[in-house]
Amino acid sequence: MTVTRFAPSPTGFLHIGGARTALFSYLYAKGRGGQFLLRIEDTDRERSTQAAVDAIFEGMAWLGLKSDFPEIYQTRRFDRYAEVIEQMLAAGTAYRCYCTREELDAMRAEQQARKERPRYDGRWRPEPGKTLPPVPAGVPPVVRFRNPAEGQVLLRDLIKGEIVFDNRELDDLIIARADGVPTYNFCVVVDDMDMGITHVIRGDDHVNNTPRQINILKALGATPPQYAHVSMILGGDGQKLSKRHGALGVMEYRTMGFMPEALLNYLVRLGWSHGDQELFTREEMMAKFDFDHVSASPARFDMEKAWWVNHQYLKATDPAVIAPEFEWHLRRIGIDPAQGPALTAVIEQQRERCRSLVEMAEKSRFFFEELSGYNEKDAAKHLSAKAAPVLSALLEALAGPDWQPEALHAAVHGVAERLGLKLGDVAQPLRVALAGMAVSPPIDQTLFLLGRRRSLDRLQAALVRATG
RNA sequence: GCUCCUAUCGUCUAGAGGCCUAGGACGGAGCCCUCUCACGGCUUAAACCGGGGUUCGAAUCCCCGUAGGAGCGCCA
C-alpha cells in the first residue's frame, strides 16, 4: 500500500510551497487507496514552537488535508533513535567523533580558503590498520554515519529522473549531536523506515540529502522508498518566497477570500498538468494526480490566475458549501448574517461578479445593514433632481405587487414604459437607492433579496434626497 | 569553489522524433450581449535560451555554452 507523509518543521506557518507539497503527498496516497500522515519534525528545539505546530494544523484542517493517523512528533521518538544509533555503533556503520566545533570550523575555513567543497576529513573514522587519535578529555563525542567511501548512489526520482551521486562527494554526516539529540537526516530515515513510507515527496532542496539518506537506509538493511522532489514556488516576480519577501501562510489566503478547494486547485496545477484541464474537483485531483506530469522546474505563483480559479469555484460550487466560508467573511467585517436574506440566496446572486469572498462580503453589506450613505459619484449621477419622478413612480409601482422576482421585474419594466425611458434610466437610480452604489445583482433580484420594507424605505429616502 | 537541478507565449502549461503553420488556460487588445458590475460568446497579439551534433526528419535525444536555482551545519 502507498503511504506518504508530510513532514514540516514547526518553525513558522504553513506556507504555500509546503501546502503544495502536502497536497501532492495527500493526493498521491489517497488517489491510490493509500494512507497519508503528518509528522512534525521538531528535533530542533531552539526553533520549534507550539504556535507553529498549531498554525500547521490549522492550515491543514482548512485545506481539508486530513491525516490518516494521529500526528507524530519526532521529539517523542528519542528512545527509538537512541536504539538505532546503538545498533549502528555496534555494527560499525557509525562511529564516535571527538572533534570540537572549533576544530570543525577551522577545517571548513581552511577548505574554503583552498576553494574546496567543505567536508569532514574523516579523522575519527575507523579504518582497518588505522590508528585513531587519543580520545581527548572532556569532549563529548558526536556520532557520525560511516558513509561508503567508494561507489555511487543512484536516485531514481519520480520527478527529476535518474540522478547519480558519487560517494566520494559525501562525507560522514553527524547523526547524533554531542548532547545525544539525533539530527534531521537520521530521524527522517528511521521514521520513514519505521512508518513504512513508500513515497517520500518533499521540496527539491532535499535532493542533495537523499543519497546520504539512502546510504543510511541501506546500512540499516532497509529498502529505500521512492522519492519525488518537487520544485519550489516562486513569487509573482520570479523571486524566491521568504518571510521577508511575499511568503504568506495558507490562512492568509483564507483572509484574502479564497475557498480552500480553489486554492488547492490552483496549487495542483502549479507544476502539474492533466492535458488541457484547468479545473478539478477534489475527487478528480485524487483520481488523476500522478508524477509523470509534474514539472521539474520552479513555477511562479500568479495571483491573477489564482483569483480566476477561485471565481470558477464560487460560480460552480453549491451555495450551501460556500455559505459557512461566506459567513466567516461577513462576521470578519462586522456584519451580522442574521440581519438579512439567506446566505445561499445572496451567494447565488453575487457569485458571478465576485472573484473573492472578501469582495462578495463587501458588495453584500447593504443586504444586511442600513445604508451608511451613498457612493457620492453614483448618487450625483443617478439621484439628481431629474430622478425624482422616476423614484416616485417606482414607489407607487412597487407598493402593490407580490414581492417576487417576476412581479418586481414586471413592475420596474412597467415604470420604464410608462415614463418612456430606457430600462437603465429606471434601474440605475433604483439600484443606487437600494444599494447605495451603482453595482448590485440584477435589479429584480436586488429588490427581492432586500425585501419590501427595506426597499420601500430606501426608495423613500432616495426620493427625499433627489427632491431636496 | 565543489556537487546537483532547471530552461516552450508576460505567467501556468500541452508536447514521449514526423500528427507543430507549436495547442490550452490566466492576463492583454478588439467586437458582440447587456438594467449596473459582471457572466458568457467570438476574434486577436504573444513562446521552443544559444551553438554544435545524432537522424531522412528535433521543441522533443546527446554534448558544450549561457542564464537561473538548490545544497555543501552538532538547521530542517
Side-chain angles (χ1 to χ4, degrees):
Chain A
M1 176 169 51
T2 302
V3 184
T4 64
R5 59 17 173 227
F6 176 55
S9 59
T11 55
F13 46 51
L14 176 60
H15 57 85
I16 208 73
R20 186 178 61 150
T21 305
L23 173 64
F24 283 9
S25 305
Y26 175 87
L27 294 177
Y28 192 75
K30 305 309 285 179
R32 264 150 259 269
Q35 293 173 323
F36 166 74
L37 62 88
L38 178 61
R39 190 170 74 213
I40 305 295
E41 311 227 318
D42 54 351
T43 53
D44 182 355
R45 292 159 135 162
E46 309 273 298
R47 299 197 301 162
S48 301
T49 65
Q50 187 57 43
V53 172
D54 295 342
I56 290 165
F57 289 158
E58 187 186 28
M60 294 290 282
W62 183 66
L63 291 172
L65 301 179
K66 275 226 296 283
S67 169
D68 292 304
F69 302 93
E71 58 284 357
I72 295 153
Y73 294 85
Q74 288 189 323
T75 45
R76 296 186 193 161
R77 288 177 42 81
F78 279 168
D79 289 350
R80 171 61 179 153
Y81 303 138
E83 179 188 6
V84 177
I85 284 168
E86 281 312 313
Q87 274 174 26
M88 292 177 73
L89 248 11
T93 52
Y95 61 92
R96 294 194 173 83
C97 165
Y98 292 84
C99 287
T100 60
R101 287 173 196 260
E102 292 69 33
E103 262 180 277
L104 260 16
D105 289 345
M107 192 190 301
R108 247 192 302 277
E110 269 176 49
Q111 288 164 333
Q112 271 165 345
R114 269 185 270 125
K115 309 253 186 213
E116 286 170 17
R117 183 181 195 181
R119 68 201 305 280
Y120 175 64
D121 65 4
R123 60 183 70 173
W124 287 92
R125 177 182 169 114
E127 299 287 359
K130 174 179 171 186
T131 345
L132 263 21
V135 173
V139 179
V142 299
V143 178
R144 288 185 184 269
F145 171 61
R146 196 171 186 283
N147 195 78
E150 300 291 325
Q152 298 179 320
V153 182
L154 172 63
L155 163 60
R156 290 179 202 276
D157 192 90
L158 264 18
I159 295 171
K160 309 254 182 203
E162 294 195 353
I163 308 174
V164 178
F165 296 88
D166 211 309
N167 271 325
R168 276 179 296 260
E169 295 295 332
L170 273 23
D171 63 359
D172 292 348
L173 76 158
I174 293 173
I175 58 177
R177 302 165 168 94
D179 63 3
V181 177
T183 60
Y184 166 78
N185 274 298
F186 175 75
C187 299
V188 167
V189 162
V190 175
D191 287 345
D192 287 342
M193 176 177 75
D194 287 355
M195 294 162 200
I197 304 299
T198 59
H199 298 259
V200 169
I201 299 154
R202 67 204 338 180
D204 69 358
D205 48 335
H206 289 287
V207 168
N208 288 291
N209 287 327
T210 308
R212 299 170 191 279
Q213 295 182 189
I214 290 176
N215 281 336
I216 298 176
L217 242 7
K218 285 181 177 161
L220 258 19
T223 308
Q226 302 253 78
Y227 293 92
H229 286 98
V230 182
S231 64
M232 59 182 198
I233 299 179
L234 272 19
D237 55 4
Q239 296 298 298
K240 185 183 176 177
L241 289 172
S242 64
K243 291 110 272 164
R244 249 217 106 234
H245 186 79
L248 300 174
V250 291
M251 296 313 283
E252 296 191 62
Y253 289 86
R254 180 188 204 193
T255 307
M256 283 189 273
F258 279 97
M259 287 286 290
E261 288 77 11
L263 223 213
L264 252 22
N265 192 147
Y266 176 72
L267 250 21
V268 82
R269 275 286 290 108
L270 202 55
W272 173 73
S273 59
H274 186 76
D276 287 338
Q277 188 170 352
E278 297 285 350
L279 271 8
F280 299 82
T281 63
R282 192 180 282 261
E283 291 66 36
E284 279 178 306
M285 285 187 218
M286 284 197 267
K288 293 175 174 174
F289 182 79
D290 66 79
F291 285 112
D292 297 346
H293 296 87
V294 173
S295 166
S297 54
R300 297 189 192 198
F301 191 97
D302 181 358
M303 202 44 104
E304 284 302 319
K305 184 149 185 183
W307 282 129
W308 176 79
V309 173
N310 199 51
H311 193 191
Q312 300 307 308
Y313 268 78
L314 290 177
K315 284 194 299 175
T317 306
D318 180 350
V321 172
I322 301 172
E325 203 63 17
F326 181 45
E327 178 171 347
W328 184 85
H329 281 277
L330 289 174
R331 290 191 190 283
R332 201 172 160 273
I333 58 173
I335 295 171
D336 179 358
Q339 304 303 310
L343 297 189
T344 49
V346 175
I347 291 165
E348 193 80 63
Q349 290 306 319
Q350 294 279 221
R351 58 180 172 181
E352 224 166 62
R353 70 206 82 246
C354 301
R355 298 209 297 178
S356 86
L357 286 165
V358 166
E359 199 183 340
M360 191 183 285
E362 276 160 2
K363 284 183 173 168
S364 302
R365 187 184 282 278
F366 74 93
F367 283 124
F368 300 91
E369 290 179 350
E370 292 314 312
L371 248 32
S372 58
Y374 297 108
N375 173 298
E376 271 316 311
K377 228 180 113 200
D378 293 340
K381 185 170 176 192
H382 298 293
L383 296 183
S384 62
K386 75 175 191 246
V390 175
L391 295 171
S392 60
L394 280 165
L395 218 32
E396 201 178 313
L398 292 173
D402 278 354
W403 209 261
Q404 290 300 323
E406 307 74 46
L408 294 166
H409 182 85
V412 175
H413 274 264
V415 168
E417 251 171 63
R418 237 171 295 135
L419 300 182
L421 294 171
K422 287 185 295 184
L423 187 54
D425 296 330
V426 176
Q428 282 305 83
L430 176 54
R431 176 168 278 115
V432 177
L434 300 177
M437 57 190 171
V439 174
S440 86
I443 201 65
D444 47 354
Q445 288 295 337
T446 301
L447 281 162
F448 173 66
L449 288 177
L450 196 56
R452 183 192 300 267
R453 179 57 161 277
R454 269 178 167 158
S455 298
L456 294 181
D457 285 354
R458 289 182 194 185
L459 212 33
Q460 188 66 56
L463 179 57
V464 170
R465 176 190 162 110
T467 27

